[in-house]
Structure formats: C-alpha cells, structure tokens
Amino acid sequence: MAKITKLNHVAIAVNDVDGSLGFWRDAMGLAVDHIEDVPSQKAVVAFIPVGDSEVELVKPTSEDTGVAKFLAERGGGMHHLCFEVDDIDAMLVQLKEKGVRLINETPQVLPGRKMAFVHPKSTGGVLVELYQLTTEA
Ligand code: CO
C-alpha cells in the first residue's frame, strides 16, 4: 500500500494576500517564507511554513481557475489539504480500487513533484491534493 508521509500544506483561497497576512502573520505571528507568482497555478501564493508543513494563501490571477470559482462562490476559505505520499501511482490505483472518485486519474508531472487531486465528493467535502516529491528537475 502507498504510504502518506506528511501533511505538505493547507491551501486557503483569499481575495487579498496582504489583507490575509493581517491575520496569519501579524496576529498569529507566523513568518512568511516568500510570496510568489505561480503562473502554472494562475495564482499568487504566500508560503507560510508551520513546523514541517505550510499554509499557502492562494490568490487567483485569472478568473478561469478552480480557486477563482471557489472564491466567487464562497468568498474564500480553506480550499484543499495536500498530503505527501511515497508512491502516487500506487495511491491512485489504491483509491480507485476503493471506489474513490479522482479529479486526476493520472498524476500531473511538474518540476520536483508529481501531483493529483481527489474529488471532494469522495472525501466528505474536502478537496485533497496528493504530492510525490521527485528529484528530477
Ligand atoms: Co496545493
């Protein structure tokens, strides 16, 4: 069986990164590692380490993304949880065998990681992202 090794990040959809930092940085006292334009996600993301995991504040830069639609419908909030897994291909097979609905039937391959989303219909309403970290650039 594939093994989940850690919670990589919790992603929160925001309309305003700076405004959100008023809570996460200034009130909670968390340090922002960096804020980055991530064209592949059509978003600006603030990366906030919390121990071995991260909070990511995600502000869409385009209207045609899942996060933008989520923001329009719900006005922001927790968007997804991301777990690291040792073998994402095996995990996707395992989930399908259990009747779990997947958004990505096969992993997307990105620099440094393979990733896939699990449909919230199968998870009790939480969008779940899976990462397998890879060494190839
Ligand atoms: Co994510």
Side-chain angles (χ1 to χ4, degrees), residues 7-63:
L7 181 66
N8 181 282
H9 62 268
V10 176
I12 297 168
V14 302
N15 282 303
D16 172 6
V17 170
D18 286 336
S20 301
L21 290 176
F23 173 70
W24 294 101
R25 181 190 58 203
D26 303 338
M28 292 279 275
L30 293 166
V32 177
D33 183 74
H34 65 289
I35 298 174
E36 184 186 336
D37 186 28
V38 184
S40 65
Q41 287 185 44
K42 296 183 184 174
V44 172
V45 182
F47 294 90
I48 306 173
V50 183
D52 214 19
S53 302
E54 282 185 322
V55 169
E56 293 184 4
L57 306 180
V58 182
K59 180 192 161 32
T61 53
S62 165
E63 293 297 314

